[in-house]
Amino acid sequence: MSDPTPYAVRDGIAVITMHNPPVNGLGHPLRVAITEGLRRAAADAAVKAVVIIGSAKAFSGGADISEFNTPKASTDPTLHQIIDMLDAMQKPVVAAIGGFAMGGGLELALGCHYRVAAPGTQLALPEVKLGILPGAGGTQRLPRAIGAEAALELMVSGNPVTPEKAPKGLVDEIVQGDLLELALKYAARIVAEKRPLRRLRDERATLAGDPAAFFKAARERVAKQSRGYPAPPKIVECVEAAVALPFDEGRKFERARFEELVVTSESKAMRHAFFGERAVEKIPDVPKDIPTVDVKSAAIVGAGTMGGGIAMAFANAGIPVRLLDAQQDALERGIGVIRRNYSATVEKGRLAQADMDRRMGLIQPTLSYGEIKDCDLVIEAVFEKMDLKREVFRRLDEVMKPDAILATNTSTLDVNEIAASTKRPESVVGLHFFSPANVMRLLEIVRGAKTSKSVLASAMKLARRLRKVGIVSGVCDGFIGNRMMEEYVRQAFFLVDEGAAPQDVDKALQDWGMAMGPFAMLDMAGQDIGWAVRKRRNEESKADPKARPYSGWIDRVCELGRFGQKAGAGVYKYEKGDRAPRPDPEIEKLIDDYRREIGVSPRGVPAGEIVERCIFALTNEGARILEEGIALRAVDIDMVYLTGYGFPVYRGGPMFYADTVGLDRVLAAVRGFAKGYHGECWRPAPLLEKLAAAGKTFN
Ligand code: NAD
């Protein structure tokens, strides 16, 4: 804490100002200061009421994350004890809330007798997003403040509400103007009117209708929505306790559920993901204060699928962007797609027409390099051909201003070779967006051999502005995400060779938690992309006896022109206007024929084996990527999968998941697979062997 929390008395009202920037996290020193303030106020006969306030930007963001997993987090006074003190106060305490009150911050406010808030303040109990529940009485006080139905909704979603939209009882008055002055006035009024102390613990949690029926329906609904996530069902139980039990018993019930949750691997995984988002921003050899380029304008070369999506990502962040293509018709098509995308969002009521117009206004089409030369950043997104990329970069090198960042969105080509076609390879970086680029949060930032630290740090800063998770990857074929994905789908194809139907593989992985099975995913992305990669690899591997083989049946699917959803057929078939994958007898026959030709008699493949083969293929390749230094840390790999590949957050990513299984067990499985079908693809990664032998983990 940079400053002690000030305590002052004004006209008989004590003011406790929480001061622990940036978010007033309720760390130990702040908890001590609040307790001290309450004690002084209670003991001073001249004090008639108390106001607890933070800064204009933050009442409190809840627990101090720097104390997470340290003994300080549970050192007295705890938040519980502070709220008990509030309950014991004989003078009214008013919470003056500006900015936001989240988690423990809102629980503190709920412990006060009255709450006033500035308009637009964000109020939330987001613990569910970390796999836990509000554990300082929040699950018992919130239903008493706003009723059981509304409380359940707020805590199960974890989403914020503003005082304007909040259910009655969360905030007593919305105050517009100087928050402290108005809170003082409010407190003075309470004193003058001799209003009773409103202790939520003494109130009843209301519920319209029959509690048994309500909670039965709530349990069923939440179970369906939160498949795999353990906290929401427990929140329902706690709200039920708030309705049925006296306050103190309800609180004990809440504590017990909290302690059950906090040790689950699911909640640990969710906290891993939460901290992971911050951890990946640190690049060990890049100083924090290195000068960076502030991107005020950007250009995209190539107005296709990716170029258009990337342009939208910039416009959504309020950054003007020029979209350049070689052909007028390609440019018009690109702009048309962007307009249709925005219009669809407007039609769904998720974007105002005025916002769409403003965003469209930020995207300027052009055919001329002369019009992009002054942009701070340019991202190349033309066809995936090295000669073409080199030509574009030679051109960019000629026209772009000296300190511009030159980025490529290539998925598979060598960023160093692209950089070498310029006289300024230090300005070149890979910015690997994922499709659809305006939606997907992952941005792989590919660090070339000569990429400067300043350019790298600038790219990281840009990722944040675009509201993406930027993750640094070294140069290799496929970078972090796609290189690992190749091993995952290789196994998916082999599993079908052996006897599983594509829909069995998809179902097993989806049931395990993946957002989508591999075959549905490949049909969505376009089977032609993988086909082109396999053809190239098969060519390259003629010279490499250690190259890992692919199954052949998927190439036959591609030879039929079945490139997936866009073609109306891929591994599955699709009805017009419907994206639901349907198993196709034609493909079943194709697979049967293939099995006969390669002499494999099909066997039943259990779901557990499907999951282990595919997920541990990710882990094993991830271990290689880590060892080669392509990824900085295991958490970077996990975050790639959580933000870009639909990996379930409650499993924490392929490396974290392996840690929870135990690396010795993972290694044993890998060694077992090495003795099975195409076992040559299963050489255990040396790092996996090393860590397993030492009883260590990746993370
Ligand atoms: P696309 O075929 O949809 O678009 C390419 C665009 O580049 C076309 O509009 C074309 O007219 C334009 N173009 C070609 N030559 C040009 C030139 N000399 N100057 C200006 N414009 C030119 O391709 P895409 O799917 O958007 O892929 C673009 C890049 O992004 C590729 O490198 C690809 O590997 C990469 N990428 C694609 C995906 C994906 O899922 N599609 C994901 C990540 C990265």
Tab-separated table of all heavy atoms in Angstrom, residues 301-308 310 324-327 329-331 333-334 369 380-385 388-389 391-392 408-413 431-436 482 525 529, ligand 1:
chain	number	residue	atom	x	y	z
A	301	VAL	N	-3.273	-5.777	-45.518
A	301	VAL	CA	-3.119	-6.104	-46.937
A	301	VAL	C	-3.772	-7.463	-47.176
A	301	VAL	O	-3.347	-8.466	-46.597
A	301	VAL	CB	-1.633	-6.137	-47.342
A	301	VAL	CG1	-1.504	-6.480	-48.829
A	301	VAL	CG2	-0.967	-4.802	-47.040
A	302	GLY	N	-4.804	-7.469	-48.021
A	302	GLY	CA	-5.568	-8.703	-48.278
A	302	GLY	C	-6.917	-8.607	-47.600
A	302	GLY	O	-7.001	-8.608	-46.376
A	303	ALA	N	-7.981	-8.471	-48.425
A	303	ALA	CA	-9.323	-8.239	-47.871
A	303	ALA	C	-10.157	-9.506	-47.856
A	303	ALA	O	-11.361	-9.480	-48.026
A	303	ALA	CB	-10.031	-7.142	-48.664
A	304	GLY	N	-9.506	-10.657	-47.646
A	304	GLY	CA	-10.233	-11.931	-47.621
A	304	GLY	C	-10.823	-12.222	-46.253
A	304	GLY	O	-11.109	-11.308	-45.484
A	305	THR	N	-10.992	-13.514	-45.959
A	305	THR	CA	-11.604	-13.938	-44.705
A	305	THR	C	-10.883	-13.321	-43.510
A	305	THR	O	-11.503	-12.709	-42.640
A	305	THR	CB	-11.480	-15.474	-44.582
A	305	THR	OG1	-11.936	-16.045	-45.796
A	305	THR	CG2	-12.269	-16.003	-43.423
A	306	MET	N	-9.557	-13.485	-43.477
A	306	MET	CA	-8.813	-13.023	-42.311
A	306	MET	C	-8.676	-11.504	-42.312
A	306	MET	O	-8.885	-10.859	-41.288
A	306	MET	CB	-7.425	-13.673	-42.269
A	306	MET	CG	-7.460	-15.159	-42.009
A	306	MET	SD	-8.458	-15.630	-40.579
A	306	MET	CE	-7.479	-14.994	-39.234
A	307	GLY	N	-8.315	-10.941	-43.467
A	307	GLY	CA	-8.136	-9.485	-43.539
A	307	GLY	C	-9.378	-8.753	-43.072
A	307	GLY	O	-9.303	-7.797	-42.289
A	308	GLY	N	-10.548	-9.222	-43.516
A	308	GLY	CA	-11.806	-8.577	-43.130
A	308	GLY	C	-12.051	-8.679	-41.630
A	308	GLY	O	-12.412	-7.696	-40.980
A	310	ILE	N	-9.849	-9.148	-39.276
A	310	ILE	CA	-8.852	-8.358	-38.533
A	310	ILE	C	-9.235	-6.873	-38.585
A	310	ILE	O	-9.152	-6.160	-37.585
A	310	ILE	CB	-7.430	-8.588	-39.099
A	310	ILE	CG1	-7.022	-10.058	-38.956
A	310	ILE	CG2	-6.426	-7.694	-38.391
A	310	ILE	CD1	-5.757	-10.445	-39.726
A	324	LEU	N	-6.423	-2.932	-47.769
A	324	LEU	CA	-5.880	-2.881	-49.130
A	324	LEU	C	-5.974	-4.246	-49.795
A	324	LEU	O	-5.683	-5.267	-49.176
A	324	LEU	CB	-4.413	-2.426	-49.068
A	324	LEU	CG	-3.643	-2.256	-50.378
A	324	LEU	CD1	-2.589	-1.159	-50.212
A	324	LEU	CD2	-2.988	-3.516	-50.886
A	325	ASP	N	-6.406	-4.256	-51.046
A	325	ASP	CA	-6.374	-5.502	-51.809
A	325	ASP	C	-5.857	-5.176	-53.205
A	325	ASP	O	-5.847	-4.016	-53.623
A	325	ASP	CB	-7.758	-6.167	-51.880
A	325	ASP	CG	-7.649	-7.676	-52.105
A	325	ASP	OD1	-7.299	-8.086	-53.232
A	325	ASP	OD2	-7.894	-8.436	-51.144
A	326	ALA	N	-5.422	-6.221	-53.921
A	326	ALA	CA	-4.885	-6.006	-55.258
A	326	ALA	C	-5.997	-5.794	-56.276
A	326	ALA	O	-5.790	-5.154	-57.301
A	326	ALA	CB	-4.014	-7.195	-55.646
A	327	GLN	N	-7.177	-6.354	-55.995
A	327	GLN	CA	-8.275	-6.322	-56.964
A	327	GLN	C	-9.464	-5.547	-56.425
A	327	GLN	O	-9.856	-5.754	-55.275
A	327	GLN	CB	-8.760	-7.756	-57.253
A	327	GLN	CG	-7.679	-8.751	-57.609
A	327	GLN	CD	-7.055	-8.465	-58.962
A	327	GLN	OE1	-7.666	-7.790	-59.799
A	327	GLN	NE2	-5.849	-8.940	-59.178
A	329	ASP	N	-12.587	-5.949	-57.216
A	329	ASP	CA	-13.727	-6.812	-56.862
A	329	ASP	C	-13.488	-7.522	-55.531
A	329	ASP	O	-14.402	-7.690	-54.724
A	329	ASP	CB	-14.047	-7.807	-57.990
A	329	ASP	CG	-12.859	-8.690	-58.335
A	329	ASP	OD1	-11.715	-8.265	-58.058
A	329	ASP	OD2	-13.072	-9.796	-58.864
A	330	ALA	N	-12.233	-7.917	-55.262
A	330	ALA	CA	-11.919	-8.574	-53.981
A	330	ALA	C	-12.156	-7.593	-52.825
A	330	ALA	O	-12.667	-7.955	-51.762
A	330	ALA	CB	-10.473	-9.048	-53.974
A	331	LEU	N	-11.806	-6.335	-53.077
A	331	LEU	CA	-11.984	-5.298	-52.059
A	331	LEU	C	-13.471	-5.098	-51.762
A	331	LEU	O	-13.899	-5.052	-50.605
A	331	LEU	CB	-11.369	-4.003	-52.594
A	331	LEU	CG	-11.005	-2.920	-51.592
A	331	LEU	CD1	-10.104	-3.471	-50.512
A	331	LEU	CD2	-10.303	-1.766	-52.324
A	333	ARG	N	-15.875	-7.205	-52.337
A	333	ARG	CA	-16.392	-8.402	-51.684
A	333	ARG	C	-16.063	-8.360	-50.184
A	333	ARG	O	-16.909	-8.600	-49.337
A	333	ARG	CB	-15.771	-9.648	-52.328
A	333	ARG	CG	-16.686	-10.843	-52.333
A	333	ARG	CD	-16.076	-12.055	-53.065
A	333	ARG	NE	-15.340	-11.743	-54.282
A	333	ARG	CZ	-14.050	-12.031	-54.480
A	333	ARG	NH1	-13.342	-12.636	-53.543
A	333	ARG	NH2	-13.461	-11.728	-55.617
A	334	GLY	N	-14.808	-8.009	-49.886
A	334	GLY	CA	-14.353	-7.956	-48.490
A	334	GLY	C	-15.173	-6.982	-47.661
A	334	GLY	O	-15.637	-7.306	-46.563
A	369	TYR	N	-0.886	1.417	-52.228
A	369	TYR	CA	0.092	1.393	-51.133
A	369	TYR	C	0.411	2.806	-50.645
A	369	TYR	O	0.773	2.998	-49.489
A	369	TYR	CB	1.374	0.686	-51.587
A	369	TYR	CG	1.283	-0.826	-51.489
A	369	TYR	CD1	0.735	-1.576	-52.523
A	369	TYR	CD2	1.741	-1.492	-50.361
A	369	TYR	CE1	0.649	-2.961	-52.439
A	369	TYR	CE2	1.655	-2.879	-50.263
A	369	TYR	CZ	1.104	-3.606	-51.302
A	369	TYR	OH	1.010	-4.961	-51.204
A	380	GLU	N	-0.109	-8.133	-43.042
A	380	GLU	CA	-0.292	-8.811	-44.335
A	380	GLU	C	-1.166	-10.045	-44.121
A	380	GLU	O	-0.898	-10.848	-43.216
A	380	GLU	CB	1.107	-9.155	-44.893
A	380	GLU	CG	1.144	-10.143	-46.027
A	380	GLU	CD	1.029	-11.570	-45.533
A	380	GLU	OE1	1.764	-11.960	-44.612
A	380	GLU	OE2	0.168	-12.280	-46.074
A	381	ALA	N	-2.231	-10.164	-44.953
A	381	ALA	CA	-3.117	-11.337	-44.880
A	381	ALA	C	-3.511	-11.777	-46.288
A	381	ALA	O	-4.681	-11.939	-46.604
A	381	ALA	CB	-4.353	-11.022	-44.044
A	382	VAL	N	-2.498	-11.917	-47.165
A	382	VAL	CA	-2.771	-12.374	-48.539
A	382	VAL	C	-2.711	-13.899	-48.574
A	382	VAL	O	-2.525	-14.544	-47.546
A	382	VAL	CB	-1.767	-11.746	-49.548
A	382	VAL	CG1	-1.849	-10.222	-49.492
A	382	VAL	CG2	-0.337	-12.203	-49.288
A	383	PHE	N	-2.842	-14.489	-49.775
A	383	PHE	CA	-2.826	-15.957	-49.877
A	383	PHE	C	-1.566	-16.534	-49.222
A	383	PHE	O	-0.519	-15.900	-49.196
A	383	PHE	CB	-2.864	-16.410	-51.343
A	383	PHE	CG	-4.033	-15.877	-52.127
A	383	PHE	CD1	-3.847	-15.290	-53.378
A	383	PHE	CD2	-5.319	-15.965	-51.617
A	383	PHE	CE1	-4.922	-14.799	-54.108
A	383	PHE	CE2	-6.406	-15.487	-52.346
A	383	PHE	CZ	-6.201	-14.892	-53.591
A	384	GLU	N	-1.703	-17.788	-48.765
A	384	GLU	CA	-0.596	-18.445	-48.057
A	384	GLU	C	0.456	-18.959	-49.045
A	384	GLU	O	0.607	-20.170	-49.245
A	384	GLU	CB	-1.182	-19.580	-47.200
A	384	GLU	CG	-0.204	-20.240	-46.247
A	384	GLU	CD	0.106	-19.428	-45.003
A	384	GLU	OE1	-0.059	-18.200	-45.014
A	384	GLU	OE2	0.532	-20.031	-44.016
A	385	LYS	N	1.178	-18.031	-49.705
A	385	LYS	CA	2.222	-18.444	-50.654
A	385	LYS	C	3.467	-17.622	-50.366
A	385	LYS	O	3.424	-16.393	-50.351
A	385	LYS	CB	1.780	-18.165	-52.096
A	385	LYS	CG	0.587	-18.981	-52.551
A	385	LYS	CD	0.682	-19.304	-54.046
A	385	LYS	CE	-0.407	-20.257	-54.488
A	385	LYS	NZ	-1.757	-19.625	-54.541
A	388	LEU	N	4.520	-14.827	-52.848
A	388	LEU	CA	3.623	-13.676	-52.801
A	388	LEU	C	3.895	-12.848	-51.534
A	388	LEU	O	3.987	-11.614	-51.577
A	388	LEU	CB	2.174	-14.173	-52.814
A	388	LEU	CG	1.101	-13.101	-52.722
A	388	LEU	CD1	1.174	-12.160	-53.919
A	388	LEU	CD2	-0.285	-13.726	-52.635
A	389	LYS	N	4.075	-13.529	-50.416
A	389	LYS	CA	4.313	-12.815	-49.157
A	389	LYS	C	5.611	-12.011	-49.240
A	389	LYS	O	5.686	-10.871	-48.789
A	389	LYS	CB	4.397	-13.796	-47.980
A	389	LYS	CG	3.160	-14.677	-47.831
A	389	LYS	CD	2.433	-14.459	-46.534
A	389	LYS	CE	1.244	-15.386	-46.429
A	389	LYS	NZ	0.114	-14.904	-45.709
A	391	GLU	N	7.002	-10.823	-51.868
A	391	GLU	CA	6.803	-9.666	-52.747
A	391	GLU	C	6.070	-8.549	-52.010
A	391	GLU	O	6.442	-7.379	-52.097
A	391	GLU	CB	6.001	-10.136	-53.959
A	391	GLU	CG	5.941	-9.148	-55.079
A	391	GLU	CD	4.894	-9.594	-56.100
A	391	GLU	OE1	4.961	-10.764	-56.536
A	391	GLU	OE2	4.003	-8.780	-56.411
A	392	VAL	N	5.041	-8.922	-51.265
A	392	VAL	CA	4.286	-7.911	-50.509
A	392	VAL	C	5.205	-7.230	-49.492
A	392	VAL	O	5.196	-5.999	-49.346
A	392	VAL	CB	3.065	-8.551	-49.805
A	392	VAL	CG1	2.445	-7.585	-48.801
A	392	VAL	CG2	2.022	-8.993	-50.826
A	408	THR	N	2.866	-10.187	-40.262
A	408	THR	CA	2.257	-11.173	-41.151
A	408	THR	C	1.304	-12.070	-40.374
A	408	THR	O	1.576	-12.423	-39.235
A	408	THR	CB	3.316	-12.050	-41.857
A	408	THR	OG1	2.626	-13.106	-42.554
A	408	THR	CG2	4.293	-12.684	-40.872
A	409	ASN	N	0.200	-12.421	-41.031
A	409	ASN	CA	-0.793	-13.303	-40.409
A	409	ASN	C	-0.611	-14.749	-40.873
A	409	ASN	O	-1.509	-15.572	-40.734
A	409	ASN	CB	-2.196	-12.781	-40.760
A	409	ASN	CG	-3.301	-13.607	-40.114
A	409	ASN	OD1	-3.243	-13.915	-38.936
A	409	ASN	ND2	-4.299	-13.987	-40.891
A	410	THR	N	0.557	-15.061	-41.421
A	410	THR	CA	0.743	-16.430	-41.924
A	410	THR	C	0.480	-17.471	-40.837
A	410	THR	O	0.778	-17.247	-39.670
A	410	THR	CB	2.169	-16.632	-42.488
A	410	THR	OG1	2.246	-17.976	-42.975
A	410	THR	CG2	3.245	-16.444	-41.431
A	411	SER	N	-0.081	-18.641	-41.240
A	411	SER	CA	-0.315	-19.718	-40.268
A	411	SER	C	0.804	-20.744	-40.303
A	411	SER	O	0.990	-21.474	-39.333
A	411	SER	CB	-1.600	-20.477	-40.571
A	411	SER	OG	-2.572	-19.679	-41.104
A	412	THR	N	1.485	-20.856	-41.435
A	412	THR	CA	2.421	-21.978	-41.572
A	412	THR	C	3.791	-21.574	-42.113
A	412	THR	O	4.736	-22.358	-42.011
A	412	THR	CB	1.849	-23.034	-42.553
A	412	THR	OG1	1.533	-22.383	-43.774
A	412	THR	CG2	0.608	-23.700	-42.003
A	413	LEU	N	3.901	-20.376	-42.684
A	413	LEU	CA	5.171	-20.055	-43.350
A	413	LEU	C	6.194	-19.497	-42.358
A	413	LEU	O	5.846	-19.051	-41.269
A	413	LEU	CB	4.913	-19.059	-44.487
A	413	LEU	CG	3.946	-19.577	-45.568
A	413	LEU	CD1	3.645	-18.487	-46.594
A	413	LEU	CD2	4.508	-20.817	-46.256
A	431	LEU	N	1.673	-11.854	-36.505
A	431	LEU	CA	0.457	-11.655	-35.696
A	431	LEU	C	-0.545	-12.678	-36.216
A	431	LEU	O	-1.220	-12.443	-37.216
A	431	LEU	CB	-0.087	-10.232	-35.833
A	431	LEU	CG	0.737	-9.128	-35.166
A	431	LEU	CD1	0.075	-7.762	-35.360
A	431	LEU	CD2	0.942	-9.393	-33.681
A	432	HIS	N	-0.593	-13.816	-35.552
A	432	HIS	CA	-1.415	-14.919	-36.032
A	432	HIS	C	-2.779	-14.868	-35.369
A	432	HIS	O	-2.941	-15.305	-34.231
A	432	HIS	CB	-0.706	-16.257	-35.763
A	432	HIS	CG	-1.407	-17.425	-36.360
A	432	HIS	ND1	-1.487	-18.651	-35.750
A	432	HIS	CD2	-2.090	-17.547	-37.533
A	432	HIS	CE1	-2.180	-19.480	-36.518
A	432	HIS	NE2	-2.559	-18.826	-37.601
A	433	PHE	N	-3.732	-14.290	-36.108
A	433	PHE	CA	-5.121	-14.205	-35.642
A	433	PHE	C	-5.810	-15.528	-35.937
A	433	PHE	O	-5.389	-16.276	-36.810
A	433	PHE	CB	-5.856	-13.084	-36.364
A	433	PHE	CG	-5.441	-11.702	-35.944
A	433	PHE	CD1	-4.306	-11.101	-36.477
A	433	PHE	CD2	-6.192	-10.978	-35.025
A	433	PHE	CE1	-3.923	-9.819	-36.098
A	433	PHE	CE2	-5.824	-9.698	-34.644
A	433	PHE	CZ	-4.685	-9.118	-35.177
A	434	PHE	N	-6.897	-15.775	-35.227
A	434	PHE	CA	-7.673	-16.995	-35.447
A	434	PHE	C	-9.040	-16.616	-35.997
A	434	PHE	O	-9.559	-15.548	-35.709
A	434	PHE	CB	-7.773	-17.807	-34.145
A	434	PHE	CG	-6.461	-18.470	-33.839
A	434	PHE	CD1	-5.376	-17.707	-33.437
A	434	PHE	CD2	-6.288	-19.825	-34.030
A	434	PHE	CE1	-4.134	-18.292	-33.214
A	434	PHE	CE2	-5.057	-20.422	-33.807
A	434	PHE	CZ	-3.977	-19.657	-33.396
A	435	SER	N	-9.603	-17.493	-36.770
A	435	SER	CA	-10.843	-17.195	-37.477
A	435	SER	C	-12.069	-17.568	-36.627
A	435	SER	O	-12.075	-18.659	-36.050
A	435	SER	CB	-10.860	-18.001	-38.780
A	435	SER	OG	-11.982	-17.650	-39.541
A	436	PRO	N	-13.103	-16.747	-36.547
A	436	PRO	CA	-13.213	-15.387	-37.077
A	436	PRO	C	-12.431	-14.381	-36.217
A	436	PRO	O	-12.592	-14.352	-34.992
A	436	PRO	CB	-14.711	-15.094	-37.011
A	436	PRO	CG	-15.302	-16.104	-36.076
A	436	PRO	CD	-14.347	-17.232	-35.907
A	482	ASN	N	-1.333	-24.681	-33.742
A	482	ASN	CA	-1.588	-25.608	-34.849
A	482	ASN	C	-0.605	-26.768	-34.880
A	482	ASN	O	-0.942	-27.857	-35.337
A	482	ASN	CB	-1.574	-24.864	-36.186
A	482	ASN	CG	-2.845	-24.041	-36.372
A	482	ASN	OD1	-3.828	-24.237	-35.661
A	482	ASN	ND2	-2.821	-23.099	-37.303
A	525	ALA	N	-13.707	-25.421	-40.273
A	525	ALA	CA	-12.545	-24.641	-40.733
A	525	ALA	C	-12.306	-24.821	-42.232
A	525	ALA	O	-11.732	-23.946	-42.881
A	525	ALA	CB	-11.309	-25.063	-39.953
A	529	ILE	N	-7.773	-26.915	-46.074
A	529	ILE	CA	-6.586	-26.338	-45.430
A	529	ILE	C	-5.668	-27.469	-44.935
A	529	ILE	O	-4.477	-27.508	-45.249
A	529	ILE	CB	-6.991	-25.422	-44.250
A	529	ILE	CG1	-7.852	-24.253	-44.767
A	529	ILE	CG2	-5.762	-24.888	-43.528
A	529	ILE	CD1	-8.348	-23.308	-43.693
B	1	NAD	P1	-8.375	-15.415	-48.487
B	1	NAD	O1	-8.125	-16.199	-49.706
B	1	NAD	O2	-9.740	-15.372	-47.920
B	1	NAD	O3	-7.941	-13.904	-48.710
B	1	NAD	C1	-6.740	-13.497	-49.317
B	1	NAD	C2	-6.940	-12.097	-49.885
B	1	NAD	O4	-5.670	-11.595	-50.289
B	1	NAD	C3	-7.843	-12.035	-51.111
B	1	NAD	O5	-8.833	-11.041	-50.905
B	1	NAD	C4	-6.909	-11.637	-52.244
B	1	NAD	O6	-7.560	-10.850	-53.231
B	1	NAD	C5	-5.871	-10.853	-51.483
B	1	NAD	N1	-4.587	-10.753	-52.184
B	1	NAD	C6	-3.928	-11.699	-52.885
B	1	NAD	N2	-2.776	-11.211	-53.367
B	1	NAD	C7	-2.702	-9.931	-52.968
B	1	NAD	C8	-1.742	-8.900	-53.145
B	1	NAD	N3	-0.631	-9.103	-53.829
B	1	NAD	N4	-1.973	-7.706	-52.599
B	1	NAD	C9	-3.102	-7.486	-51.902
B	1	NAD	N5	-4.047	-8.423	-51.691
B	1	NAD	C10	-3.842	-9.635	-52.226
B	1	NAD	O7	-7.331	-15.960	-47.400
B	1	NAD	P2	-7.454	-15.967	-45.805
B	1	NAD	O8	-8.139	-17.221	-45.367
B	1	NAD	O9	-7.958	-14.663	-45.359
B	1	NAD	O10	-5.934	-16.132	-45.381
B	1	NAD	C11	-5.028	-15.049	-45.445
B	1	NAD	C12	-3.806	-15.374	-44.616
B	1	NAD	O11	-4.203	-15.625	-43.278
B	1	NAD	C13	-3.051	-16.611	-45.042
B	1	NAD	O12	-1.686	-16.391	-44.843
B	1	NAD	C14	-3.561	-17.683	-44.103
B	1	NAD	O13	-2.642	-18.722	-43.919
B	1	NAD	C15	-3.720	-16.890	-42.852
B	1	NAD	N6	-4.663	-17.424	-41.859
B	1	NAD	C16	-5.838	-17.980	-42.240
B	1	NAD	C17	-6.721	-18.466	-41.287
B	1	NAD	C18	-8.046	-19.033	-41.677
B	1	NAD	O14	-8.671	-19.696	-40.834
B	1	NAD	N7	-8.539	-18.801	-42.877
B	1	NAD	C19	-6.388	-18.386	-39.932
B	1	NAD	C20	-5.181	-17.790	-39.584
B	1	NAD	C21	-4.332	-17.319	-40.549
